């Protein structure tokens, strides 16, 4: 069992930066692939970024590539999402997810555990 708790959301202006963190419980964190998804009001949840167990593989949605960076610290059981050059269209609830190795990083159903989400609001 893995429990995930996100933090770091808030209200910022366009062009600002935020860093989200997701703290995980459990001794098997380092074996899980981790990802960030987001859901804007009235829209479906969408993939943002993912990272494999070692941090050696990262993948991003085209909409955030070059602006967002996912990273992890297995010693701290934490995964991060550094978000730069934020845009109003980045406004959403951001969710952290954990899944066992293997499978398509982009698909929400391959992830077994989810956090409660943290709100990110970007004003223009």
């Amino acid at each position: 069992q893995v429990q995930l708790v996100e933090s770091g959301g808030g209200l910022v202006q366009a062009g600002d930066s935020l860093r989200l963190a997701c703290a995980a419980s459990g001794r098997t964190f380092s074996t899980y692939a981790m990802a960030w998804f987001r859901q804007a009001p009235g829209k479906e949840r969408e993939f943002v970024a993912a990272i494999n167990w070692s941090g050696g593989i990262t993948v991003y949605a085209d909409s955030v590539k070059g602006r967002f960076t996912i990273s992890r610290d297995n010693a701290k059981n934490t995964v991060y999402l550094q978000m730069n050059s934020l845009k109003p269209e980045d406004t959403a609830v951001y969710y952290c997810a954990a899944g066992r190795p293997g499978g398509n990083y982009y698909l929400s159903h391959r992830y077994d555990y989810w956090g409660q989400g943290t709100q990110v609001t970007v004003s223009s």
Side-chain angles (χ1 to χ4, degrees), residues 50-72:
I51 188 168
N52 78 325
W53 68 273
S54 68
I57 297 173
T58 56
V59 294
Y60 297 93
D62 287 344
S63 58
V64 307
K65 202 171 294 184
R67 299 188 299 121
F68 291 10
T69 302
I70 189 171
S71 61
R72 67 189 298 160

Side-chain angles (χ1 to χ4, degrees), residues 5 11 15 21 31 38 52 57 62 66 69 76 83 94:
V5 179
L11 172 62
T31 66
R38 67 186 182 186
N52 78 325
I57 297 173
D62 287 344
T69 302
K76 295 182 178 180
M83 305 186 294
Y94 283 71

Side-chain angles (χ1 to χ4, degrees), residues 16-95:
D16 285 350
S17 298
L18 274 178
R19 189 175 81 154
L20 305 183
C22 173
S25 65
R27 293 174 290 178
T28 58
F29 172 79
S30 63
T31 66
Y32 282 88
M34 301 296 297
W36 289 94
F37 285 75
R38 67 186 182 186
Q39 187 167 19
K43 296 188 177 181
E44 293 186 352
R45 189 172 298 188
E46 65 173 358
F47 171 81
V48 176
I51 188 168
N52 78 325
W53 68 273
S54 68
I57 297 173
T58 56
V59 294
Y60 297 93
D62 287 344
S63 58
V64 307
K65 202 171 294 184
R67 299 188 299 121
F68 291 10
T69 302
I70 189 171
S71 61
R72 67 189 298 160
D73 185 338
N74 286 341
K76 295 182 178 180
N77 279 16
T78 303
V79 63
Y80 304 97
L81 185 68
Q82 178 66 43
M83 305 186 294
N84 298 330
S85 302
L86 283 161
K87 304 175 181 180
E89 51 264 44
D90 294 319
T91 295
V93 177
Y94 283 71
Y95 297 91

